[in-house]
Amino acid sequence: MLSTCPAHTTMSEGFLMEVCVDSVESAINAERGGAGRLELCSSLLEGGITPSVGLLHVVKQYVRIPVYCMIRPRGGDFLYTDREVEVMKTDIELIKSHGADGLVLGALTEDGRVDTELCVELLAACRPLPVTFHRAFDMVHDPVVALETLISLGFERVLTSGCDSSALEGLPLIKRLVEQAKGRIIIMPGGGISERNLQRVLEGSGAQEFHCSARSTKDSTMKFRNPCVNMGASLSAPEYSVKVADVTKIRTLNAIAKNTL
């Protein structure tokens, strides 16, 4: 059942591509396309929330590259209640026990600073696994101060669009963060990265890792369809199509990164 393609876990090629996936099919496609790591979540429509243990368990049977799991109990902001924190800590324990290779999380205070106290607790629960601070970083009041906080807390990397609508738009800040980090933490650009802009993002930032979803829409195989019913709210995904990581897109991104770095 294990995939036979080699595990791209090293930085020997000079770069590492992380692909965010929310299905087994996307995970398999990402590895096949040359991803070096997966960020596993559910509901990419909401920006990614905690995946089910079942999804993690099955993904781990089919791929060999590292799988980092999102710990995010809901969509929306990153200011969590005590009960939400209970859920996050429980999810961390369950996901660790089902073979996750790393975790992805973030939490902010009401005034837009990194919630140091909560992050200390969550990082303690995550040990010994490496942890990425996710795009909650893009919602902070002062990214320069926030980056130093993440370094002192011991996060392995931070995923960021440079506090802008996409990594391309946020490129000037991403470049400054890479320079500020000086190798103390990995800066991983993400947000709207595609074959059209990856070269500009890598060359303009100096980053060696990048994050993308590289998905295309796949039509449902349902023959009978009821167009009157929608399972979610008005902003939900279409009922009769899914977005899946695209092997061809990922291979293209891989080739661009190889040629750039």
Side-chain angles (χ1 to χ4, degrees):
M1 201 145 68
L2 265 176
S3 121
T4 52
C5 67
H8 300 267
T9 52
T10 67
M11 286 282 282
S12 58
E13 292 172 308
F15 71 92
L16 192 141
M17 168 170 49
E18 177 180 275
V19 179
C20 55
V21 299
D22 59 4
S23 69
V24 180
E25 185 181 1
S26 286
I28 292 167
N29 287 353
E31 181 174 65
R32 204 174 280 161
R37 181 173 60 238
L38 300 178
E39 180 198 81
L40 184 66
C41 39
S42 286
S43 190
L44 280 172
L45 189 71
E46 290 184 272
I49 57 174
T50 308
S52 75
V53 167
L55 178 59
L56 170 62
H57 185 78
V58 178
V59 164
K60 286 293 291 181
Q61 290 179 297
Y62 281 95
V63 302
R64 294 166 61 187
I65 57 175
V67 178
Y68 278 42
C69 285
M70 175 69 78
I71 301 292
R72 186 179 176 220
R74 54 161 174 80
D77 66 34
F78 304 101
L79 181 63
Y80 296 115
T81 65
D82 290 348
R83 284 177 179 161
E84 286 172 333
V85 171
E86 265 183 74
V87 172
M88 292 167 87
K89 288 177 176 174
T90 307
D91 277 333
I92 289 168
E93 291 308 322
L94 286 168
I95 279 169
K96 273 171 69 178
S97 68
H98 281 80
D101 299 288
L103 297 153
V104 182
L105 55 86
L108 303 179
T109 60
E110 61 183 14
D111 56 355
R113 290 172 170 76
V114 173
D115 188 337
T116 308
E117 197 179 328
L118 177 51
C119 284
V120 165
E121 289 177 34
L122 295 175
L123 285 166
C126 291
R127 272 197 281 275
L129 296 183
V131 185
T132 299
F133 193 92
H134 58 43
R135 286 186 61 200
F137 185 84
D138 292 324
M139 303 300 197
V140 298
H141 174 67
D142 185 337
V144 171
V145 171
L147 188 66
E148 291 303 325
T149 304
L150 298 185
I151 291 165
S152 67
L153 286 168
F155 281 91
E156 182 184 62
R157 76 176 51 69
V158 56
L159 170 63
T160 179
S161 63
C163 302
D164 216 322
S165 57
S166 70
L168 190 61
E169 298 291 325
L171 201 48
L173 177 60
I174 295 171
K175 183 177 194 292
R176 291 207 302 276
L177 293 170
V178 170
E179 289 165 357
Q180 181 188 341
K182 293 190 181 72
R184 295 174 295 160
I185 189 171
I186 297 160
I187 308 294
M188 179 168 63
I193 287 183
S194 70
E195 50 270 46
R196 292 185 303 282
N197 60 34
L198 176 61
Q199 186 175 350
R200 273 181 290 167
V201 169
L202 292 177
E203 285 178 346
S205 66
Q208 290 191 298
E209 296 193 6
F210 66 96
H211 172 100
C212 59
S213 63
R215 295 184 299 161
S216 56
T217 302
K218 182 180 162 188
D219 196 42
S220 163
T221 52
M222 283 293 294
K223 288 188 170 64
F224 172 77
R225 301 185 178 198
N226 181 353
C228 305
V229 179
N230 199 311
M231 291 296 154
S234 54
L235 279 173
S236 62
E239 287 304 321
Y240 292 108
S241 68
V242 288
K243 284 186 177 279
V244 179
D246 186 316
V247 178
T248 308
K249 284 186 179 182
I250 294 164
R251 283 198 177 125
T252 304
L253 289 163
N254 206 26
I256 292 167
K258 261 190 185 130
N259 292 335
T260 307
L261 301 170

